[in-house]
């Protein structure tokens, strides 16, 4: 998967996680809130992976 795809999927997971967290707080459902936190972290990791791929590509392109 390319760096752009990783970043886009990461943003989507992060946004969905935030929605789940808010819904969990509003509905007093700790399980849903925890699921949202996990999904948000997954999205952050995907974005970091995409940024890492970009950094590696820039180094390779300079060589």
């Amino acid at each position: 998967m390319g760096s752009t795809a990783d970043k886009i999927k990461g943003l989507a997971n992060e946004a969905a996680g935030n929605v789940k967290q808010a819904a969990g707080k509003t509905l007093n459902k700790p399980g849903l809130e925890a699921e949202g936190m996990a999904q948000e972290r997954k999205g952050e990791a995907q974005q970091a992976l995409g940024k890492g791929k970009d950094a590696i590509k820039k180094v390779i392109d300079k060589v």
Side-chain angles (χ1 to χ4, degrees):
M1 183 178 319
S3 64
T4 302
D6 286 327
K7 288 188 244 178
I8 291 170
K9 284 189 175 196
L11 283 171
N13 272 318
E14 197 171 343
N18 284 327
V19 170
K20 284 182 183 179
Q21 285 180 64
K25 285 180 185 178
T26 302
L27 300 172
N28 195 28
K29 294 192 174 193
L32 184 59
E33 189 175 349
E35 185 181 322
M37 290 176 91
Q39 190 168 1
E40 181 182 4
R41 299 300 174 258
K42 177 182 175 184
E44 290 170 354
Q46 284 175 315
Q47 287 186 57
L49 177 64
K51 290 177 183 177
K53 286 180 180 179
D54 279 345
I56 291 170
K57 184 178 182 318
K58 285 180 184 177
V59 169
I60 292 171
D61 287 346
K62 286 185 177 181
V63 173

